[in-house]
């Protein structure tokens, strides 16, 4: 084999340096969203998200793979909705004389028809819309790591899938507490900012919302990393 013939595949994509990502380890820590899922989430989804993790990792060598990770994640959402529909005994076919597959939009509306899942409906439809945009893009433009777009949406997807498969009673309690937590987090976030006119704190409300989503994901990640580890007790001599 000719030396260095395939070295281009292991060449670091220069675009990551723009975002101060200077090593693979740093890339994984800063840019890769892991599938930190609850036990109730189906194994098929957990397995598919592992592929998404690797796509993000190897985007360090080829920037557009971040977009592929997002696209696969958004397609994974459709699988999640279909699996939830089966769990709820909702048919994936129309009930007419010539049964056909229900479209994604129809399945979302049926799965999220009542409480508490109806409260997830807006977020699911937003991601469905994003899926349509990424599927039918008309140019070779890439999101990559730009502004954390891929990272943020995959983070939102992980949070959403965990909620989708949570026990209904647990989800009801969680959504009530989450609303209060979110409002408090956003309030504290905005109050911590020092802003000079003409800018106003309202301009940063969206960043505050993303801050909450990230905090929610990072808490889940931390729990998954520490789960099963021995409890360390420090004895201090008096």
């Amino acid at each position: 084999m000719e030396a260095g013939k395939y070295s281009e595949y292991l060449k670091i994509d220069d675009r990551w340096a723009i975002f101060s990502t200077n090593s693979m380890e740093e890339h994984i820590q800063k840019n890769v969203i892991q599938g930190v899922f609850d036990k109730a989430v189906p194994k098929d989804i957990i397995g598919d998200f592992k592929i998404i993790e690797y796509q993000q990792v190897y985007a360090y060598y080829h920037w557009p793979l971040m977009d592929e990770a997002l696209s696969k994640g958004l397609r994974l959402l459709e699988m999640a909705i279909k699996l939830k529909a089966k769990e709820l005994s909702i048919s994936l076919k129309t009930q007419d004389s010539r049964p056909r597959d229900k479209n994604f939009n129809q399945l979302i509306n049926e799965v999220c028809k009542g409480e508490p899942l109806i409260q997830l409906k807006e977020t699911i439809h937003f991601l469905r819309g994003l899926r349509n945009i990424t599927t039918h893009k008309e140019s070779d433009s890439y999101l990559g790591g730009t502004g954390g777009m891929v990272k943020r949406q995959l983070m939102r997807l992980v949070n959403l899938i965990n909620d989708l498969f949570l026990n209904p009673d647990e989800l009801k309690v969680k959504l009530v507490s989450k609303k209060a937590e979110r409002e408090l987090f956003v309030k504290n976030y905005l109050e911590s900012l020092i802003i000079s006119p003409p800018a106003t704190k309202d301009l940063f409300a969206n960043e505050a919302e993303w801050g909450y989503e990230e905090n929610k994901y990072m808490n889940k990640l931390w729990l998954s990393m520490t789960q099963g580890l021995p409890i360390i007790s420090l004895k201090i001599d008096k």
Side-chain angles (χ1 to χ4, degrees), residues 131-170:
R131 185 202 66 156
N132 293 341
I133 292 170
T134 58
T135 300
H136 304 294
K137 65 179 183 179
E138 298 178 355
S139 69
D140 291 329
S141 60
Y142 300 105
L143 296 171
T146 310
M149 175 67 172
V150 172
K151 178 181 176 181
R152 285 179 168 184
Q153 299 305 339
L154 288 176
M155 195 181 292
R156 171 182 268 174
L157 179 67
V158 170
N159 291 339
L160 175 65
I161 289 175
N162 276 323
D163 287 347
L164 186 64
F165 290 96
L166 199 60
N167 174 281
D169 292 332
E170 290 182 61

Side-chain angles (χ1 to χ4, degrees), residues 46-210:
I46 296 172
D48 254 30
F49 202 91
K50 183 58 67 175
I51 299 171
I52 294 168
E53 288 181 17
Y54 276 93
Q55 287 176 314
Q56 294 172 83
V57 169
Y58 288 107
Y60 189 58
Y61 300 111
H62 190 57
W63 175 278
L65 280 173
M66 288 298 280
D67 284 56
E68 291 304 312
L70 177 59
S71 293
K72 184 168 179 59
L74 295 171
R75 293 195 302 273
L76 184 62
L77 176 61
E78 184 167 5
M79 179 203 290
I81 291 297
K82 287 180 177 178
L83 289 173
K84 188 64 182 181
K86 289 180 180 178
E87 184 183 299
L88 298 173
S89 299
I90 295 172
S91 175
L92 301 183
K93 299 278 188 181
T94 58
Q95 303 298 307
D96 47 30
S97 57
R98 300 179 64 183
R100 61 190 184 282
D101 291 336
K102 292 177 182 174
N103 61 43
F104 190 22
N105 181 60
Q106 187 175 356
L107 281 174
I108 293 170
N109 291 335
E110 290 186 28
V111 166
C112 299
K113 189 175 182 179
E115 293 288 356
L117 292 176
I118 194 171
Q119 296 189 52
L120 305 179
K121 186 175 176 179
E122 184 179 348
T123 300
I124 296 171
H125 274 304
F126 170 82
L127 290 173
R128 178 183 67 84
L130 187 59
R131 185 202 66 156
N132 293 341
I133 292 170
T134 58
T135 300
H136 304 294
K137 65 179 183 179
E138 298 178 355
S139 69
D140 291 329
S141 60
Y142 300 105
L143 296 171
T146 310
M149 175 67 172
V150 172
K151 178 181 176 181
R152 285 179 168 184
Q153 299 305 339
L154 288 176
M155 195 181 292
R156 171 182 268 174
L157 179 67
V158 170
N159 291 339
L160 175 65
I161 289 175
N162 276 323
D163 287 347
L164 186 64
F165 290 96
L166 199 60
N167 174 281
D169 292 332
E170 290 182 61
L171 182 57
K172 285 178 184 177
V173 173
K174 182 178 179 180
L175 289 172
V176 171
S177 63
K178 188 171 80 170
K179 181 180 179 182
E181 285 175 9
R182 182 186 291 272
E183 289 174 354
L184 181 61
F185 183 95
V186 171
K187 178 176 177 290
N188 290 339
Y189 181 97
L190 294 176
E191 287 180 352
S192 70
L193 299 177
I194 299 174
I195 301 172
S196 301
T200 65
K201 290 185 177 181
D202 289 342
L203 294 173
F204 296 88
N206 189 51
E207 280 302 311
E209 292 285 342
W210 275 119

